[in-house]
Amino acid sequence: MGCFKLPFRFHKNLDSLMANFRWGGNAQTRKTHWVAWHTLCHSKFRGGLDFRYMKAFNQAMLAKQAWRIIQFPQTLVASLLKARYFPHTTFPDAGKGCRPSLVWNNISWGKELLLSGLKKKVGNGADISIHDDTWVPIQPLTP
């Protein structure tokens, strides 16, 4: 799950297996599910049991790979991906490119989740663009 985006059907089957295990069902008998699966997936603080949606977990694992590319740009994998997919820009600004590989497609899917919560640290302000960067929590400023 940390390297590949698994198919939707596989995620659904895993969620189903976990639900059946939780309620005691098997292939021959089905038990009554007293609470909806999405309710059980809530955090314990919100009244759930902290079960995971496998699709969200898969995307989070791929976002972790994207974070490693940002944090460790000198690694072999990050260097190879930079040379192929974003030689003239930064990783957060990189697009899918022409004929992307399976690995790049998967990391790009994780990057979507990462960028939804990623903010720049202001520091001295030399690297901040007040019009383009999302340093304001609501939306970027417009001229």
Side-chain angles (χ1 to χ4, degrees):
M1 290 183 99
C3 297
F4 298 106
K5 179 181 178 183
L6 301 175
F8 176 73
R9 166 95 57 215
F10 186 76
H11 292 145
K12 197 165 181 66
N13 287 341
L14 276 178
D15 287 340
S16 177
L17 285 171
M18 287 191 304
N20 286 336
F21 178 78
R22 167 67 182 101
W23 296 114
N26 58 29
Q28 290 79 24
T29 60
R30 296 197 55 164
K31 301 287 182 169
T32 302
H33 294 209
W34 296 103
V35 178
W37 181 248
H38 64 84
T39 304
L40 294 177
C41 290
H42 290 306
S43 69
K44 290 179 183 175
F45 180 73
R46 293 183 52 203
L49 293 177
D50 260 346
F51 287 119
R52 291 188 173 123
Y53 281 118
M54 285 295 116
K55 184 177 179 184
F57 184 66
N58 189 197
Q59 189 175 18
M61 295 296 287
L62 291 169
K64 184 176 178 181
Q65 297 299 329
W67 178 250
R68 286 182 180 160
I69 291 172
I70 292 172
Q71 287 297 107
F72 306 108
Q74 72 280 6
T75 61
L76 180 62
V77 172
S79 300
L80 288 172
L81 290 174
K82 179 169 180 57
R84 171 72 169 94
Y85 296 106
F86 55 101
H88 305 295
T89 186
T90 61
F91 177 70
D93 298 329
K96 285 238 178 159
C98 181
R99 295 179 42 205
S101 68
L102 181 63
V103 171
W104 183 247
N105 270 332
N106 297 333
I107 290 176
S108 295
W109 186 55
K111 184 178 79 166
E112 292 173 14
L113 177 65
L114 181 67
L115 292 180
S116 69
L118 195 63
K119 304 291 180 210
K120 280 192 173 182
K121 185 175 181 181
V122 175
N124 66 0
D127 297 331
I128 300 290
S129 169
I130 64 168
H131 295 290
D132 298 326
D133 293 331
T134 55
W135 60 279
V136 176
I138 300 168
Q139 61 184 350
L141 296 175
T142 55

